[in-house]
Coordinates of all heavy atoms in Angstrom, one line a residue:
M529 N -12.2 53.3 -49.0 CA -13.2 53.2 -47.9 C -13.8 51.8 -48.0 O -14.0 51.2 -46.9 CB -14.3 54.2 -48.2 CG -15.3 54.4 -47.0 SD -14.4 54.9 -45.5 CE -15.6 54.6 -44.3
K530 N -14.1 51.3 -49.2 CA -14.7 49.9 -49.3 C -13.7 48.9 -48.8 O -14.1 47.9 -48.1 CB -15.0 49.6 -50.8 CG -16.3 50.2 -51.3 CD -16.5 49.8 -52.7 CE -17.8 50.4 -53.2 NZ -18.0 50.2 -54.6
L531 N -12.4 49.1 -49.0 CA -11.3 48.2 -48.5 C -11.3 48.2 -47.0 O -11.2 47.1 -46.4 CB -10.0 48.7 -49.0 CG -8.8 47.7 -48.8 CD1 -9.0 46.4 -49.6 CD2 -7.5 48.3 -49.2
L532 N -11.5 49.3 -46.3 CA -11.6 49.4 -44.9 C -12.8 48.6 -44.3 O -12.6 47.8 -43.4 CB -11.6 50.8 -44.4 CG -10.3 51.6 -44.3 CD1 -10.5 53.0 -43.8 CD2 -9.4 50.9 -43.3
V533 N -13.9 48.8 -45.0 CA -15.1 48.0 -44.5 C -14.9 46.5 -44.7 O -15.2 45.7 -43.8 CB -16.4 48.5 -45.4 CG1 -17.6 47.6 -45.1 CG2 -16.7 50.0 -45.0
L534 N -14.3 46.2 -45.9 CA -14.0 44.7 -46.1 C -13.1 44.2 -45.0 O -13.3 43.1 -44.5 CB -13.4 44.6 -47.5 CG -13.2 43.1 -47.9 CD1 -14.5 42.4 -48.2 CD2 -12.4 43.1 -49.2
L535 N -12.0 45.0 -44.7 CA -11.1 44.6 -43.7 C -11.8 44.4 -42.3 O -11.5 43.4 -41.6 CB -9.9 45.6 -43.6 CG -8.7 45.3 -44.5 CD1 -7.7 46.5 -44.4 CD2 -8.1 44.0 -44.2
A536 N -12.6 45.4 -42.0 CA -13.4 45.3 -40.7 C -14.2 44.1 -40.7 O -14.3 43.4 -39.6 CB -14.2 46.6 -40.5
V537 N -14.9 43.7 -41.8 CA -15.8 42.5 -41.8 C -14.9 41.3 -41.6 O -15.3 40.4 -40.9 CB -16.6 42.5 -43.1 CG1 -17.2 41.2 -43.3 CG2 -17.6 43.6 -43.1
V538 N -13.8 41.2 -42.3 CA -12.9 40.0 -42.2 C -12.4 39.9 -40.8 O -12.4 38.8 -40.2 CB -11.8 40.1 -43.3 CG1 -10.7 39.1 -43.0 CG2 -12.3 40.0 -44.7
A539 N -12.0 41.0 -40.2 CA -11.5 41.0 -38.8 C -12.6 40.6 -37.9 O -12.3 39.8 -36.9 CB -10.9 42.4 -38.5
G540 N -13.8 41.0 -38.1 CA -14.9 40.7 -37.2 C -15.2 39.2 -37.3 O -15.4 38.5 -36.3
L541 N -15.2 38.6 -38.6 CA -15.5 37.2 -38.7 C -14.4 36.4 -38.1 O -14.6 35.4 -37.4 CB -15.5 36.9 -40.2 CG -16.8 37.3 -41.0 CD1 -16.7 37.0 -42.5 CD2 -18.0 36.6 -40.4
W542 N -13.1 36.8 -38.2 CA -12.0 36.1 -37.6 C -12.1 36.1 -36.1 O -12.0 35.1 -35.4 CB -10.7 36.8 -38.0 CG -9.4 36.2 -37.3 CD1 -8.8 35.1 -37.7 CD2 -8.8 36.7 -36.1 NE1 -7.7 34.9 -36.9 CE2 -7.7 35.8 -35.9 CE3 -9.0 37.8 -35.3 CZ2 -6.9 36.0 -34.8 CZ3 -8.2 37.9 -34.2 CH2 -7.2 37.1 -34.0
W543 N -12.5 37.3 -35.5 CA -12.7 37.4 -34.1 C -13.8 36.5 -33.6 O -13.7 35.8 -32.5 CB -13.0 38.9 -33.8 CG -13.1 39.2 -32.3 CD1 -12.1 39.3 -31.4 CD2 -14.3 39.5 -31.6 NE1 -12.6 39.6 -30.2 CE2 -13.9 39.7 -30.3 CE3 -15.6 39.6 -32.0 CZ2 -14.9 40.1 -29.3 CZ3 -16.6 40.0 -31.0 CH2 -16.2 40.2 -29.7
L544 N -14.9 36.4 -34.3 CA -16.1 35.6 -33.9 C -15.6 34.1 -33.9 O -16.0 33.3 -33.0 CB -17.2 35.8 -34.8 CG -18.1 37.0 -34.6 CD1 -19.1 37.2 -35.7 CD2 -18.7 37.0 -33.2
R545 N -14.8 33.7 -35.0 CA -14.3 32.4 -35.1 C -13.4 32.0 -33.9 O -13.5 30.9 -33.3 CB -13.6 32.2 -36.4 CG -13.5 30.8 -36.8 CD -12.9 30.6 -38.2 NE -12.2 29.3 -38.2 CZ -11.2 29.1 -39.0 NH1 -10.8 30.0 -39.9 NH2 -10.7 27.9 -39.0
R546 N -12.6 33.0 -33.5 CA -11.7 32.8 -32.3 C -12.5 32.6 -31.1 O -12.2 31.7 -30.2 CB -10.7 34.0 -32.1 CG -9.6 34.1 -33.1 CD -8.5 33.1 -32.8 NE -7.8 33.3 -31.6 CZ -7.0 32.5 -31.0 NH1 -6.7 31.3 -31.6 NH2 -6.4 32.7 -29.9
L547 N -13.5 33.4 -30.9 CA -14.4 33.3 -29.7 C -15.0 31.9 -29.6 O -15.1 31.2 -28.6 CB -15.5 34.3 -29.7 CG -15.2 35.7 -29.1 CD1 -16.4 36.6 -29.2 CD2 -14.7 35.6 -27.7
A548 N -15.5 31.4 -30.8 CA -16.1 30.0 -30.8 C -15.1 29.0 -30.4 O -15.4 28.1 -29.7 CB -16.7 29.8 -32.2
Q549 N -13.8 29.1 -31.0 CA -12.8 28.1 -30.6 C -12.5 28.2 -29.2 O -12.4 27.1 -28.5 CB -11.5 28.5 -31.4 CG -11.6 28.0 -32.9 CD -10.3 28.4 -33.6 OE1 -9.6 29.3 -33.2 NE2 -10.1 27.8 -34.8
V550 N -12.3 29.3 -28.6 CA -12.0 29.5 -27.2 C -13.1 28.9 -26.3 O -12.9 28.1 -25.4 CB -11.8 30.9 -26.8 CG1 -11.7 31.1 -25.3 CG2 -10.5 31.4 -27.4
G551 N -14.4 29.1 -26.7 CA -15.5 28.5 -26.0 C -15.5 27.0 -26.1 O -15.7 26.3 -25.1
R552 N -15.2 26.5 -27.3 CA -15.1 25.0 -27.4 C -14.0 24.4 -26.5 O -14.2 23.4 -25.8 CB -14.9 24.7 -28.9 CG -15.4 23.3 -29.3 CD -15.2 22.9 -30.7 NE -15.4 24.0 -31.6 CZ -14.5 24.5 -32.5 NH1 -13.4 23.9 -32.6 NH2 -14.8 25.5 -33.3
L553 N -12.9 25.1 -26.5 CA -11.8 24.6 -25.7 C -12.1 24.6 -24.2 O -11.8 23.7 -23.5 CB -10.5 25.4 -26.0 CG -9.8 25.1 -27.3 CD1 -8.6 26.1 -27.5 CD2 -9.2 23.7 -27.3
A554 N -12.8 25.7 -23.8 CA -13.2 25.9 -22.4 C -14.1 24.8 -22.0 O -14.0 24.2 -20.9 CB -13.8 27.2 -22.1
R555 N -15.1 24.5 -22.9 CA -16.1 23.4 -22.7 C -15.3 22.0 -22.5 O -15.6 21.3 -21.6 CB -17.1 23.3 -23.8 CG -18.5 23.1 -23.3 CD -19.5 23.2 -24.4 NE -19.4 24.4 -25.2 CZ -19.2 24.4 -26.6 NH1 -19.2 23.3 -27.2 NH2 -19.2 25.6 -27.2
Q556 N -14.4 21.8 -23.5 CA -13.6 20.5 -23.4 C -12.8 20.4 -22.1 O -12.8 19.3 -21.5 CB -12.7 20.4 -24.6 CG -13.3 20.0 -25.9 CD -12.4 20.0 -27.1 OE1 -11.2 20.5 -26.9 NE2 -12.8 19.6 -28.2
L557 N -12.2 21.5 -21.7 CA -11.4 21.5 -20.4 C -12.3 21.2 -19.2 O -12.0 20.4 -18.4 CB -10.8 22.9 -20.3 CG -9.7 23.0 -19.2 CD1 -8.5 22.1 -19.6 CD2 -9.2 24.4 -19.1
R558 N -13.5 21.8 -19.2 CA -14.5 21.6 -18.1 C -14.9 20.1 -18.1 O -14.9 19.5 -17.0 CB -15.7 22.5 -18.3 CG -16.1 23.3 -17.1 CD -17.3 24.2 -17.3 NE -17.0 25.2 -18.3 CZ -17.8 25.5 -19.4 NH1 -18.9 24.8 -19.6 NH2 -17.5 26.4 -20.2
Q559 N -15.1 19.5 -19.3 CA -15.5 18.1 -19.3 C -14.4 17.2 -18.8 O -14.6 16.3 -18.1 CB -15.9 17.7 -20.8 CG -17.3 18.2 -21.2 CD -17.6 17.9 -22.6 OE1 -16.7 17.6 -23.4 NE2 -18.8 18.2 -23.0
M560 N -13.1 17.6 -19.2 CA -12.0 16.7 -18.8 C -11.8 16.8 -17.3 O -11.5 15.8 -16.6 CB -10.7 17.2 -19.5 CG -10.6 16.8 -20.9 SD -9.3 17.6 -21.9 CE -7.9 17.1 -21.0
R561 N -12.0 18.0 -16.7 CA -11.9 18.2 -15.3 C -12.9 17.3 -14.6 O -12.7 16.7 -13.6 CB -12.0 19.6 -14.9 CG -10.7 20.4 -15.1 CD -10.8 21.8 -14.6 NE -9.7 22.6 -15.0 CZ -9.7 23.9 -15.1 NH1 -10.8 24.6 -15.0 NH2 -8.5 24.5 -15.4
Q562 N -14.2 17.4 -15.1 CA -15.3 16.6 -14.5 C -14.9 15.1 -14.5 O -15.1 14.4 -13.5 CB -16.6 16.8 -15.3 CG -17.6 17.5 -14.4 CD -18.8 17.9 -15.3 OE1 -18.9 17.6 -16.4 NE2 -19.8 18.6 -14.7
V563 N -14.4 14.6 -15.7 CA -14.1 13.2 -15.8 C -13.0 12.8 -14.8 O -13.1 11.8 -14.1 CB -13.7 12.9 -17.3 CG1 -13.0 11.5 -17.3 CG2 -14.8 12.9 -18.2
S564 N -12.0 13.7 -14.7 CA -10.9 13.3 -13.7 C -11.4 13.4 -12.3 O -10.9 12.6 -11.5 CB -9.7 14.3 -13.9 OG -10.1 15.6 -13.5
R565 N -12.4 14.2 -12.0 CA -13.0 14.3 -10.7 C -13.8 13.0 -10.4 O -13.8 12.5 -9.3 CB -13.8 15.5 -10.5 CG -13.2 16.6 -9.6 CD -14.1 17.7 -9.4 NE -13.7 18.9 -10.1 CZ -14.4 19.7 -10.8 NH1 -15.7 19.5 -10.9 NH2 -13.9 20.7 -11.4
E566 N -14.5 12.5 -11.5 CA -15.3 11.3 -11.3 C -14.5 10.0 -11.3 O -15.1 9.0 -11.1 CB -16.4 11.3 -12.4 CG -17.4 12.4 -12.2 CD -18.3 12.7 -13.5 OE1 -18.1 11.9 -14.4 OE2 -19.1 13.6 -13.4
A567 N -13.2 10.1 -11.7 CA -12.4 8.9 -11.8 C -12.4 8.1 -10.4 O -12.4 8.8 -9.4 CB -11.0 9.2 -12.2
P568 N -12.5 6.8 -10.5 CA -12.5 6.0 -9.2 C -11.2 6.2 -8.5 O -10.1 6.4 -9.1 CB -12.6 4.6 -9.7 CG -12.2 4.6 -11.1 CD -12.5 6.0 -11.7
P569 N -11.3 6.2 -7.1 CA -10.0 6.3 -6.3 C -9.1 5.2 -6.6 O -9.5 4.1 -6.9 CB -10.6 6.4 -4.9 CG -11.9 5.7 -5.0 CD -12.4 5.9 -6.3
R570 N -7.8 5.5 -6.5 CA -6.8 4.4 -6.7 C -6.9 3.4 -5.6 O -7.2 3.8 -4.4 CB -5.4 5.1 -6.7 CG -5.3 6.1 -7.8 CD -4.0 6.8 -7.6 NE -3.0 6.2 -8.5 CZ -1.7 6.4 -8.4 NH1 -1.2 7.2 -7.4 NH2 -0.8 5.9 -9.2
P571 N -6.7 2.1 -5.9 CA -6.7 1.1 -4.9 C -5.6 1.3 -3.8 O -4.5 1.8 -4.2 CB -6.6 -0.2 -5.6 CG -6.0 0.2 -6.9 CD -6.4 1.6 -7.2
A572 N -5.9 0.9 -2.6 CA -4.9 1.1 -1.5 C -3.7 0.2 -1.8 O -3.9 -0.9 -2.4 CB -5.5 0.7 -0.2
P573 N -2.5 0.6 -1.5 CA -1.4 -0.2 -1.7 C -1.5 -1.5 -0.8 O -2.0 -1.5 0.3 CB -0.2 0.6 -1.2 CG -0.8 1.7 -0.4 CD -2.2 1.9 -0.9
Q574 N -1.0 -2.6 -1.4 CA -1.1 -3.8 -0.7 C 0.3 -4.4 -0.4 O 1.2 -4.1 -1.1 CB -2.0 -4.8 -1.4 CG -1.6 -5.0 -2.9 CD -2.5 -6.0 -3.6 OE1 -2.6 -7.2 -3.1 NE2 -3.2 -5.6 -4.6
P575 N 0.4 -5.3 0.6 CA 1.7 -5.8 0.9 C 2.3 -6.7 -0.2 O 1.5 -7.3 -0.9 CB 1.5 -6.6 2.2 CG 0.0 -6.9 2.2 CD -0.6 -5.7 1.5
M576 N 3.6 -6.7 -0.4 CA 4.2 -7.5 -1.4 C 4.9 -8.7 -0.7 O 5.4 -8.6 0.4 CB 5.3 -6.7 -2.1 CG 4.8 -5.4 -2.8 SD 3.7 -5.7 -4.2 CE 4.9 -6.0 -5.4
L577 N 4.8 -9.8 -1.3 CA 5.4 -11.1 -0.8 C 6.5 -11.5 -1.7 O 6.4 -11.5 -2.9 CB 4.3 -12.1 -0.6 CG 3.2 -11.8 0.3 CD1 2.1 -12.9 0.3 CD2 3.7 -11.6 1.7
R578 N 7.6 -12.0 -1.1 CA 8.8 -12.5 -1.9 C 8.6 -13.9 -2.2 O 8.3 -14.8 -1.3 CB 10.1 -12.2 -1.1 CG 11.3 -12.7 -1.8 CD 12.5 -12.4 -1.0 NE 12.8 -11.0 -0.8 CZ 13.6 -10.3 -1.7 NH1 14.2 -10.9 -2.7 NH2 13.8 -9.0 -1.5
C579 N 8.8 -14.3 -3.5 CA 8.7 -15.7 -3.9 C 9.9 -16.4 -3.3 O 11.1 -16.0 -3.4 CB 8.8 -15.8 -5.5 SG 8.8 -17.4 -6.1
L580 N 9.6 -17.6 -2.7 CA 10.7 -18.4 -2.1 C 11.7 -19.0 -3.1 O 12.8 -19.3 -2.8 CB 10.1 -19.5 -1.3 CG 9.4 -19.1 0.0 CD1 8.9 -20.4 0.7 CD2 10.4 -18.5 0.9
V581 N 11.2 -19.1 -4.4 CA 12.1 -19.7 -5.4 C 12.9 -18.7 -6.1 O 14.2 -18.8 -6.2 CB 11.2 -20.5 -6.4 CG1 12.1 -21.1 -7.6 CG2 10.5 -21.6 -5.7
C582 N 12.3 -17.6 -6.7 CA 13.1 -16.7 -7.5 C 13.3 -15.3 -6.8 O 14.0 -14.5 -7.3 CB 12.4 -16.5 -8.8 SG 10.8 -15.7 -8.7
G583 N 12.6 -15.0 -5.7 CA 12.7 -13.8 -5.0 C 11.9 -12.6 -5.6 O 12.0 -11.5 -5.1
T584 N 11.1 -12.9 -6.6 CA 10.2 -11.8 -7.2 C 9.2 -11.3 -6.2 O 8.6 -12.1 -5.5 CB 9.5 -12.4 -8.4 OG1 10.5 -12.8 -9.3 CG2 8.6 -11.3 -9.0
Q585 N 9.1 -10.0 -6.1 CA 8.1 -9.4 -5.2 C 6.7 -9.5 -5.9 O 6.6 -9.0 -7.0 CB 8.4 -8.0 -4.9 CG 9.7 -7.8 -4.2 CD 9.6 -8.1 -2.7 OE1 8.5 -8.1 -2.1 NE2 10.7 -8.3 -2.0
T586 N 5.7 -10.1 -5.3 CA 4.4 -10.3 -5.9 C 3.3 -9.7 -4.9 O 3.5 -9.9 -3.7 CB 4.1 -11.8 -6.1 OG1 5.2 -12.3 -6.8 CG2 2.8 -12.0 -6.9
P587 N 2.3 -9.0 -5.4 CA 1.3 -8.5 -4.5 C 0.6 -9.6 -3.8 O 0.4 -10.7 -4.4 CB 0.3 -7.8 -5.5 CG 1.0 -7.5 -6.7 CD 2.1 -8.6 -6.8
A588 N 0.3 -9.4 -2.5 CA -0.2 -10.5 -1.7 C -1.5 -11.1 -2.3 O -1.7 -12.3 -2.1 CB -0.5 -9.9 -0.3
S589 N -2.3 -10.3 -3.0 CA -3.6 -10.8 -3.5 C -3.3 -11.8 -4.7 O -4.1 -12.6 -5.1 CB -4.5 -9.7 -4.0 OG -3.8 -8.9 -5.0
E590 N -2.1 -11.6 -5.4 CA -1.8 -12.5 -6.5 C -0.9 -13.6 -6.2 O -0.7 -14.5 -7.0 CB -1.2 -11.6 -7.7 CG -2.1 -10.6 -8.2 CD -1.4 -9.6 -9.2 OE1 -0.4 -10.0 -9.8 OE2 -1.9 -8.5 -9.3
A591 N -0.2 -13.5 -5.1 CA 0.8 -14.5 -4.7 C 0.1 -15.8 -4.3 O -1.0 -15.8 -3.8 CB 1.6 -14.0 -3.5
L592 N 0.8 -16.9 -4.6 CA 0.3 -18.3 -4.1 C 1.0 -18.6 -2.8 O 2.2 -18.5 -2.8 CB 0.6 -19.3 -5.2 CG 0.0 -19.0 -6.6 CD1 0.6 -20.0 -7.6 CD2 -1.5 -19.1 -6.6
Q593 N 0.2 -18.9 -1.8 CA 0.8 -19.2 -0.5 C 0.5 -20.6 0.0 O -0.6 -21.1 -0.3 CB 0.3 -18.1 0.5 CG 0.7 -16.7 0.1 CD 0.1 -15.7 1.2 OE1 0.5 -15.8 2.3 NE2 -0.7 -14.8 0.7
D594 N 1.5 -21.1 0.7 CA 1.2 -22.4 1.4 C 2.0 -22.3 2.7 O 2.5 -21.3 3.1 CB 1.6 -23.6 0.6 CG 3.1 -23.6 0.2 OD1 3.9 -22.9 0.9 OD2 3.5 -24.4 -0.7
A595 N 2.1 -23.5 3.4 CA 2.7 -23.5 4.7 C 4.2 -23.0 4.7 O 4.7 -22.4 5.7 CB 2.7 -24.9 5.3
R596 N 4.9 -23.3 3.6 CA 6.3 -22.9 3.5 C 6.5 -21.4 3.2 O 7.5 -20.8 3.7 CB 7.0 -23.7 2.4 CG 7.2 -25.2 2.7 CD 7.8 -25.9 1.6 NE 7.0 -25.9 0.4 CZ 6.1 -26.8 0.1 NH1 5.9 -27.8 0.9 NH2 5.4 -26.8 -1.0
G597 N 5.5 -20.8 2.5 CA 5.7 -19.4 2.2 C 4.9 -19.0 1.0 O 3.9 -19.6 0.6
A598 N 5.4 -17.9 0.3 CA 4.7 -17.4 -0.9 C 5.4 -17.6 -2.2 O 6.7 -17.7 -2.2 CB 4.5 -15.9 -0.7
Y599 N 4.7 -17.7 -3.3 CA 5.3 -17.9 -4.6 C 4.7 -17.0 -5.6 O 3.5 -16.6 -5.5 CB 5.1 -19.4 -5.0 CG 5.5 -20.4 -4.0 CD1 4.6 -20.9 -3.1 CD2 6.9 -20.8 -3.9 CE1 5.0 -21.7 -2.1 CE2 7.3 -21.6 -2.9 CZ 6.4 -22.1 -2.0 OH 6.8 -23.0 -1.0
C600 N 5.5 -16.7 -6.7 CA 5.0 -15.8 -7.7 C 4.1 -16.5 -8.7 O 3.2 -15.9 -9.3 CB 6.2 -15.2 -8.5 SG 7.1 -16.3 -9.4
C601 N 4.2 -17.8 -8.9 CA 3.4 -18.5 -9.8 C 3.3 -20.0 -9.4 O 4.0 -20.5 -8.5 CB 4.0 -18.5 -11.2 SG 5.7 -19.1 -11.3
A602 N 2.4 -20.7 -10.0 CA 2.1 -22.1 -9.7 C 3.4 -23.0 -10.0 O 3.7 -24.0 -9.3 CB 0.9 -22.7 -10.5
A603 N 4.1 -22.6 -11.0 CA 5.3 -23.4 -11.4 C 6.3 -23.4 -10.3 O 7.0 -24.4 -9.9 CB 5.9 -22.9 -12.7
H604 N 6.5 -22.2 -9.7 CA 7.5 -22.1 -8.6 C 7.0 -22.7 -7.3 O 7.8 -23.3 -6.5 CB 7.8 -20.6 -8.3 CG 8.8 -20.1 -9.4 ND1 9.2 -18.8 -9.5 CD2 9.4 -20.7 -10.4 CE1 10.0 -18.6 -10.5 NE2 10.1 -19.8 -11.1
Q605 N 5.7 -22.7 -7.1 CA 5.1 -23.4 -5.9 C 5.4 -24.9 -6.1 O 5.8 -25.6 -5.2 CB 3.6 -23.1 -5.8 CG 3.0 -23.7 -4.5 CD 1.5 -23.3 -4.4 OE1 0.9 -23.0 -5.4 NE2 1.1 -23.2 -3.2
A606 N 5.1 -25.4 -7.3 CA 5.4 -26.9 -7.6 C 6.8 -27.2 -7.5 O 7.2 -28.3 -6.9 CB 4.9 -27.2 -9.0
K607 N 7.7 -26.3 -7.9 CA 9.2 -26.5 -7.8 C 9.6 -26.6 -6.4 O 10.4 -27.5 -6.0 CB 9.9 -25.4 -8.6 CG 11.4 -25.6 -8.6 CD 12.1 -24.5 -9.3 CE 13.6 -24.7 -9.5 NZ 14.3 -25.2 -8.4
A608 N 9.1 -25.7 -5.5 CA 9.4 -25.7 -4.1 C 8.9 -27.0 -3.5 O 9.6 -27.6 -2.6 CB 8.8 -24.5 -3.5
A609 N 7.7 -27.4 -3.8 CA 7.2 -28.7 -3.3 C 8.1 -29.8 -3.7 O 8.4 -30.7 -2.9 CB 5.8 -28.9 -3.7
Q610 N 8.5 -29.9 -5.0 CA 9.4 -30.9 -5.5 C 10.7 -30.9 -4.7 O 11.2 -32.0 -4.3 CB 9.6 -30.7 -7.0 CG 9.8 -32.0 -7.7 CD 9.8 -31.7 -9.2 OE1 10.0 -30.5 -9.7 NE2 9.5 -32.7 -10.0
D611 N 11.3 -29.7 -4.6 CA 12.6 -29.6 -3.9 C 12.4 -30.1 -2.4 O 13.3 -30.7 -1.9 CB 13.0 -28.1 -3.9 CG 13.5 -27.7 -5.2 OD1 13.6 -28.5 -6.2 OD2 13.7 -26.4 -5.4
A612 N 11.3 -29.7 -1.8 CA 11.1 -30.1 -0.4 C 11.0 -31.7 -0.3 O 11.6 -32.3 0.6 CB 9.8 -29.5 0.2
L613 N 10.3 -32.3 -1.3 CA 10.2 -33.7 -1.3 C 11.5 -34.4 -1.5 O 11.9 -35.4 -0.9 CB 9.2 -34.1 -2.5 CG 7.7 -34.2 -2.1 CD1 6.9 -34.5 -3.4 CD2 7.5 -35.2 -1.0
S614 N 12.3 -33.8 -2.5 CA 13.6 -34.4 -2.8 C 14.6 -34.3 -1.5 O 15.4 -35.2 -1.3 CB 14.2 -33.8 -4.0 OG 14.5 -32.5 -3.8
R615 N 14.4 -33.2 -0.8 CA 15.3 -33.0 0.4 C 14.9 -34.0 1.5 O 15.8 -34.6 2.1 CB 15.1 -31.5 0.9 CG 16.3 -30.7 0.6 CD 16.1 -29.3 1.2 NE 15.6 -28.4 0.2 CZ 14.5 -27.6 0.4 NH1 13.9 -27.5 1.6 NH2 14.1 -26.8 -0.5
T616 N 13.6 -34.2 1.7 CA 13.2 -35.2 2.7 C 13.6 -36.6 2.2 O 14.0 -37.5 3.0 CB 11.7 -35.2 2.9 OG1 11.0 -35.4 1.7 CG2 11.3 -33.9 3.6
G617 N 13.6 -36.9 0.9 CA 14.0 -38.1 0.3 C 15.5 -38.4 0.6 O 15.9 -39.5 0.9
E618 N 16.3 -37.3 0.5 CA 17.8 -37.4 0.7 C 18.1 -37.7 2.1 O 19.0 -38.5 2.4 CB 18.4 -36.1 0.3 CG 18.6 -35.9 -1.2 CD 19.0 -34.5 -1.6 OE1 19.4 -33.7 -0.7 OE2 18.9 -34.2 -2.8
R619 N 17.3 -37.1 3.0 CA 17.5 -37.4 4.5 C 17.3 -38.8 4.9 O 18.0 -39.4 5.7 CB 16.6 -36.5 5.3 CG 17.2 -35.1 5.5 CD 16.3 -34.3 6.4 NE 16.4 -32.9 6.0 CZ 15.4 -32.0 6.2 NH1 14.2 -32.4 6.7 NH2 15.5 -30.8 5.8
K620 N 16.2 -39.5 4.2 CA 15.9 -40.8 4.6 C 17.0 -41.8 4.1 O 17.3 -42.8 4.8 CB 14.6 -41.2 3.9 CG 13.4 -40.7 4.7 CD 12.1 -41.0 3.9 CE 10.9 -40.3 4.6 NZ 9.7 -40.4 3.7
E621 N 17.7 -41.5 3.0 CA 18.7 -42.4 2.5 C 20.0 -42.4 3.3 O 20.3 -41.4 3.9 CB 19.0 -42.1 1.0 CG 17.8 -42.5 0.1 CD 18.0 -42.0 -1.3 OE1 19.0 -41.4 -1.6 OE2 17.0 -42.2 -2.1
Ligands
LIG299 ZN1 9.0 -17.1 -8.4

């Protein structure tokens, strides 16, 4: 009989511990859902521009643009300017 009471007490403690774990998990899940709901909206997609030198697609906000077109970086913009200068130089000669 004492063994049965001991088993019942152990089973009760185990059950209470499980309840506490489930409650903690439910609270964490609720917090995670709240955080995901409060997350800022994703930025709208923006147009991509092709670099005139290497052809890399670059977001319009990050691309460097001039009268000739768009570039992925300052080095390619400078290279395009240099190429344009050398082309006009060749035509004069
Ligand atoms: Zn480029």
Side-chain angles (χ1 to χ4, degrees):
M529 191 64 193
K530 279 182 182 175
L531 189 66
L532 275 177
V533 171
L534 186 68
L535 273 174
V537 167
V538 168
L541 286 174
W542 177 83
W543 184 71
L544 283 174
R545 199 170 151 209
R546 285 285 295 169
L547 272 183
Q549 282 177 341
V550 167
R552 205 178 322 123
L553 285 174
R555 222 176 306 125
Q556 283 176 351
L557 192 67
R558 233 178 293 130
Q559 283 172 350
M560 285 167 61
R561 282 184 184 153
Q562 243 171 5
V563 165
S564 68
R565 255 185 250 134
E566 291 164 2
R570 302 171 94 194
Q574 52 180 302
M576 302 292 278
L577 299 174
R578 180 181 290 271
C579 175
L580 285 181
V581 175
C582 67
T584 301
Q585 297 281 343
T586 309
S589 63
E590 294 172 30
L592 302 169
Q593 297 181 63
D594 63 15
R596 288 180 297 270
Y599 308 94
C600 65
C601 59
H604 284 175
Q605 189 176 24
K607 184 182 186 317
Q610 209 170 25
D611 289 351
L613 274 177
S614 66
R615 255 184 265 130
T616 55
E618 284 169 11
R619 276 186 213 148
K620 282 177 188 169
E621 288 172 2

